[in-house]
Amino acid sequence: MSERIRVLVVDDSALMRKLIPTILERDPSIEVIGTAMDGAFAMKKIEEFHPDVVTLDLEMPRMDGIEALRLIMRRAPMPVIVFSTHSREGAYSTFKALALGAIDFVAKPRDAAAGHLDAIAVELIEKIKVAKRASGRKIRANVAVETQPPQKKSSSATLPPNRIVAIGISTGGPNALQYVLSQIPADFSATILVVQHMPEGFTEMFARRLDECCALGVQEARSGDLLLAGRVLICPGNRHMVVRRMPRGDMAVLSDGPPVNGHRPSADVLFYSVAQEFALTSVGVIMTGMGDDGAEGLGAIKAAGGMTAAQSEDTCVVSGMPRAAILKGYANKIVPLESMSAFLVGYCGSDRSPDRDRAEKSDRQEKSEKNEKSDRTRVSSQRS
């Protein structure tokens, strides 16, 4: 039998410090080696027991989870799973923790205080196993801190996109997406649609956080949102997102269909839809995450004549999703995280691409020639 995963549970609730070890130790590969009631005690337990993985509550007295995480990453970097409150405030703190280096998070059920943790038991156990496997692997390129808000595209610019980019992503996704999207200029010519495996209630805050640091306009998708150049739509948690070509414009449509590959939202659902509706102008990108969601859908985009790309495994926090697509031969390109934005800009272009400039120049010349011809005709008519 392989060595068990040694876990430290940090939570200010005495009930949680009792229940979390109970559900974790249902799995014989996990051993809870200790608990701590706040960040200060957690640092002492880490020095004493050297755990493989830490589960970390964020809202604690004396030293909260954010400060504890900063110290962990500075003194003894190790995989941390945030066990976050399912609320707007909890979502904000969770994304801050992910930016500081936490591997992933699990949202506490709304009735957790009543002792109901069975709903998240499987998810928490699986993410602890993934965190142990991902130990020592993290995104190599960190997002630069913006000194001022990025220059946004004019709200009056509502051009149709030249391509539809669909991205499927999971564990490690928040930081990876922020890194990629923050480097794409406001005049990007494509629409970007994102399926990030994330629970309901967190995607709105995630979209807002991305919008603050990106030149592109980022928002949580709503049914009927038009696909526009320079717009990024994040699929809401617990919904599926597809695309439709409609008389008033191409748009995103949300649905409550059953989970696919165990996920709602599912990258496969989005990818199949994009392949069917946009074929040659579709672009599928699969990035860091566990499992195989999105692999078959990426294959559908490739079969339809679209471009497909997978993040290189060595730059993923967890490489399961890209690896599944690569092994099936569905990725036209394998792209490191550091090069993903350049790949997208290079393939999709911007509003001021040479081809568009030449086309607009040709249109202006044609109109000028028509006007000159019209003027000559009028003058000739007047002389006669």
Side-chain angles (χ1 to χ4, degrees):
M1 181 177 175
S2 60
E3 190 174 344
R4 299 169 77 186
I5 302 170
R6 305 171 72 251
V7 178
L8 174 68
V9 173
V10 184
D11 201 296
D12 70 328
S13 165
L15 179 61
M16 292 297 107
R17 294 197 302 275
K18 179 179 179 180
L19 291 179
I20 295 172
T22 299
I23 65 171
L24 292 183
E25 291 185 334
R26 294 175 187 174
D27 191 298
S29 67
I30 294 177
E31 175 189 7
V32 176
I33 51 89
T35 63
M37 64 183 294
D38 62 28
F41 279 112
M43 298 310 301
K44 294 178 181 178
K45 294 289 181 75
I46 287 170
E47 291 178 7
E48 181 179 357
F49 296 116
H50 304 288
D52 297 314
V53 179
V54 174
T55 69
L56 183 64
D57 184 22
L58 296 180
E59 298 176 9
M60 299 181 292
R62 197 159 63 141
M63 182 188 291
D64 67 14
I66 295 296
E67 184 58 30
L69 185 60
R70 284 197 182 98
L71 290 177
I72 290 170
M73 294 304 163
R74 188 183 308 150
R75 297 179 184 177
M78 64 182 60
V80 174
I81 301 292
V82 170
F83 202 31
S84 175
T85 302
H86 203 145
S87 65
R88 183 180 297 271
E89 295 76 17
Y92 178 84
S93 299
T94 295
F95 292 124
K96 189 173 182 179
L98 293 173
L100 289 171
I103 289 283
D104 207 342
F105 74 96
V106 175
K108 288 181 179 178
R110 299 186 188 280
D111 56 356
H116 300 154
L117 294 184
D118 284 346
I120 54 85
V122 173
E123 180 186 6
L124 184 58
I125 288 169
E126 183 62 27
K127 289 190 174 183
I128 285 172
K129 292 179 179 179
V130 168
K132 177 61 170 66
R133 292 197 297 270
S135 179
R137 302 183 70 184
K138 60 186 294 186
I139 295 173
R140 297 184 300 180
N142 292 318
V143 181
V145 176
E146 293 283 348
T147 56
Q148 58 184 12
Q151 186 66 42
K152 294 282 189 179
K153 177 185 266 188
S154 170
S155 59
S156 62
T158 55
L159 297 170
N162 64 350
R163 299 186 189 279
I164 307 299
V165 179
I167 298 177
I169 193 165
S170 185
T171 306
N175 286 350
L177 274 176
Q178 184 174 341
Y179 179 75
V180 171
L181 296 181
S182 66
Q183 297 180 80
I184 297 177
D187 62 353
F188 188 58
S189 294
T191 285
I192 299 178
L193 303 164
V194 178
V195 163
Q196 160 78 63
H197 294 160
M198 193 174 282
E200 184 178 5
F202 282 78
T203 43
E204 180 184 3
M205 182 64 71
F206 180 45
R208 288 184 182 181
R209 186 176 179 88
L210 290 175
D211 188 62
E212 290 172 358
C213 67
C214 299
L216 301 173
V218 185
Q219 65 187 64
E220 185 182 50
R222 298 165 299 180
S223 276
D225 279 341
L226 293 177
L227 308 186
L228 303 173
R231 170 176 279 184
V232 182
L233 298 177
I234 308 293
C235 183
N238 203 31
R239 308 292 302 277
H240 286 308
M241 180 165 62
V242 298
V243 290
R244 293 285 183 264
R245 310 199 79 163
M246 305 293 283
R248 74 180 187 92
D250 304 332
M251 64 179 62
V253 177
L254 304 180
S255 76
D256 296 315
V260 175
N261 303 319
H263 297 286
R264 188 170 67 188
S266 164
D268 267 335
V269 171
L270 174 62
F271 286 174
Y272 276 117
S273 172
V274 168
Q276 180 178 348
E277 295 289 317
F278 293 97
L280 296 176
T281 58
S282 60
V283 181
V285 179
I286 196 158
M287 296 179 66
T288 178
M290 62 181 179
D292 61 359
D293 184 36
E296 294 300 329
L298 201 73
I301 291 176
K302 182 178 181 181
M307 170 59 73
T308 60
Q311 183 180 343
S312 63
E313 295 184 43
D314 62 311
T315 63
C316 293
V317 172
V318 180
S319 59
M321 285 169 59
R323 184 191 299 124
I326 292 168
L327 291 177
K328 292 175 181 291
Y330 294 154
N332 295 122
K333 302 280 186 181
I334 299 174
V335 184
L337 176 67
E338 297 89 334
S339 304
M340 190 64 77
S341 56
F343 162 73
L344 291 174
V345 172
Y347 187 74
C348 299
S350 65
D351 288 348
R352 293 271 61 88
S353 66
D355 288 342
R356 181 172 294 214
D357 284 341
R358 282 194 294 269
E360 290 184 358
K361 183 178 180 181
S362 176
D363 287 342
R364 287 195 298 269
Q365 287 176 340
E366 185 177 344
K367 289 178 181 178
S368 177
E369 289 171 0
K370 286 181 178 179
N371 289 336
E372 288 177 6
K373 184 177 179 180
S374 176
D375 289 342
R376 286 196 300 268
T377 302
R378 261 196 316 271
V379 170
S380 175
S381 175
Q382 288 170 355
R383 284 177 178 172
S384 62

